[in-house]
Amino acid sequence: MVLTGGGTGGHLNIIKCLLESASRKGLECVYIGSENGQDRLWFDNEKGFREKFFLSSRGVMNQSGMGKFHALAHIFKLSKQCQQIFSAHGVKAVFSVGGYSGAPASFAALFSRLPLLIHEQNAKRGGLNSLLKPFARGFFSAFEKEFAPYPVRDGFFDLARRREGLGCIIFLGGSQGASFINDLALNLAPKLDQMGVKIIHQCGGKDLQKCQEAYEALGISAEVFDFCPHLEEKMHRADLAISRAGASTLFELCANALPCIFIPYPYAAKNHQFFNAKFLHDRALCQIFTQEQASAEAVFKAIASINLPHISQNLEGIAQKNAAEFLLQKALKLF
């Protein structure tokens, strides 16, 4: 089976979970991703795939004018290359998690009349997944009426614990970091330090040096990092998260029973991060601030008033262990 899609950590997390489950079943997987985005960072050294291909695919929706046409034409050109990969490896089906990385192999599946399976990670469907859903043999989402559990790596469940009090906060800007979250963390840091609250801060590579120097200037010993393949270990030590609202992060927090204050990325397609967070907010299991609302003063008040034990306990059960196993079992019945 081909696993395809990526670009961001959210998409690639799903691929990782599916690969681990497929390996346990003895099902060989080929990965088709992009040279752009984070695909290589995640999978260049991954030994679990039978083969990996990083193509020159790029986004379509972010192009203007004729750029969209040229990007789409390039995807169709790459889809022919994918068909050759299918033939060479005896591929029986294609499982896409969306993103421009998944476009060439997804279209190639249709051209080759292979079963196409899709996982939609967000509360608002991505453009590629919306386009291809009518042609897919299976379509899976934790946000649709026909519910499918969201794949989360076992480590987030294994290191889950109920939070009883605030001793440590983790700031999560996503795998690429978020300047707004970084600035907010630095503004909150002096008050948190006065309270004796420890800080763990994922700031992304671009702002790593800036944040390290800022904490040093403040005289605060914070744990600052750009990317971590074992984020569950850092979440385990935290009692509260302040985070963007990518779907993978949201369900990882649920699996870990870690309460969160979400500040969705306002420029995400279809504002999907807000609707991801709303999934928990409708259950009274998180707080949401827009960037305009998220002043240091407002967020500090929310930190001081949040009921950690209640939320932590009720986050248990939102995410389900072995979700990738469930998806693969469903998928295998469809081809």
Side-chain angles (χ1 to χ4, degrees):
M1 183 169 67
V2 160
L3 299 178
T4 188
T8 67
H11 295 97
L12 294 160
N13 256 320
I14 305 296
I15 296 282
K16 181 75 172 173
C17 291
L18 290 171
L19 174 64
E20 290 174 356
S21 182
S23 297
R24 289 193 291 268
K25 289 180 174 294
L27 178 63
E28 287 191 308
C29 293
V30 171
Y31 177 67
I32 300 179
S34 176
E35 295 173 347
N36 302 301
Q38 298 182 59
D39 301 7
R40 278 193 179 276
L41 175 65
W42 277 69
F43 293 139
D44 225 358
N45 299 313
E46 175 57 60
K47 306 297 185 186
F49 291 110
R50 178 177 181 175
E51 197 72 66
K52 295 165 289 189
F53 300 91
F54 300 96
L55 310 181
S56 57
S57 49
R58 57 183 183 269
V60 175
M61 302 310 294
N62 59 343
Q63 305 290 331
S64 58
M66 288 299 291
K68 279 188 171 62
F69 173 80
H70 291 305
L72 190 58
H74 187 59
I75 284 172
F76 287 127
K77 179 181 176 182
L78 292 176
S79 70
K80 292 183 179 180
Q81 186 177 340
C82 291
Q83 287 180 282
Q84 294 171 353
I85 294 170
F86 297 168
S87 179
H89 292 278
V91 170
K92 303 299 182 188
V94 175
F95 203 130
S96 172
V97 300
Y100 62 83
S101 294
S106 296
F107 282 109
L110 301 183
F111 300 152
S112 302
R113 297 186 178 180
L114 290 176
L116 173 63
L117 310 157
I118 296 174
H119 182 273
E120 172 55 62
Q121 61 170 307
N122 291 304
K124 294 289 182 180
R125 291 180 199 161
L128 179 66
N129 287 350
S130 293
L131 177 66
L132 295 179
K133 183 179 185 289
F135 308 100
R137 189 76 62 88
F139 188 91
F140 308 103
S141 172
F143 297 101
E144 301 268 336
K145 286 183 179 179
E146 189 174 341
F147 174 81
Y150 196 101
V152 176
R153 285 184 288 117
D154 287 353
F156 291 95
F157 293 97
D158 297 340
L159 292 176
R161 63 181 179 87
R162 289 188 184 179
R163 275 64 180 188
E164 300 297 336
L166 183 61
C168 180
I169 284 185
I170 186 167
F171 292 91
L172 299 168
S175 52
Q176 298 182 76
S179 294
F180 183 89
I181 300 280
N182 294 343
D183 291 340
L184 177 65
L186 293 171
N187 287 329
L188 287 169
K191 286 186 176 180
L192 295 174
D193 189 57
Q194 287 175 8
M195 295 169 61
V197 176
K198 295 178 181 178
I199 296 172
I200 302 173
H201 185 172
Q202 179 195 40
C203 63
K206 183 175 55 128
D207 283 349
L208 181 61
Q209 184 176 349
K210 165 193 158 182
C211 290
Q212 288 173 331
E213 291 175 352
Y215 281 115
E216 187 176 345
L218 290 168
I220 295 172
S221 179
E223 184 177 335
V224 186
F225 66 102
D226 51 357
F227 173 81
C228 178
H230 301 291
L231 190 59
E232 63 271 22
E233 295 173 3
K234 297 187 185 295
M235 281 191 185
H236 170 73
R237 291 186 279 119
D239 301 299
L240 175 67
I242 295 177
S243 176
R244 289 303 198 197
S248 280
T249 299
L250 183 145
F251 283 100
E252 287 165 359
L253 291 165
C254 291
N256 199 247
L258 178 56
C260 187
I261 296 170
F262 289 107
I263 306 171
Y265 179 57
Y267 307 110
K270 302 179 184 177
N271 199 21
H272 68 253
Q273 286 205 3
F274 172 81
F275 290 97
N276 291 348
K278 189 174 182 294
F279 175 78
L280 288 184
H281 191 265
D282 288 347
R283 294 161 173 77
L285 294 177
C286 75
Q287 293 193 40
I288 305 175
F289 286 87
T290 65
Q291 284 197 174
E292 291 75 17
Q293 296 169 333
S295 66
E297 181 181 0
V299 174
F300 185 76
K301 286 181 180 177
I303 291 170
S305 64
I306 194 165
N307 187 337
L308 294 175
H310 171 78
I311 293 177
S312 183
Q313 179 179 348
N314 285 282
L315 285 172
E316 296 173 355
I318 296 293
Q320 297 180 31
K321 204 170 185 179
N322 301 320
E325 188 84 11
F326 172 90
L327 293 183
L328 276 183
Q329 285 177 348
K330 284 272 193 181
L332 289 170
K333 293 176 182 177
L334 298 172
F335 68 90

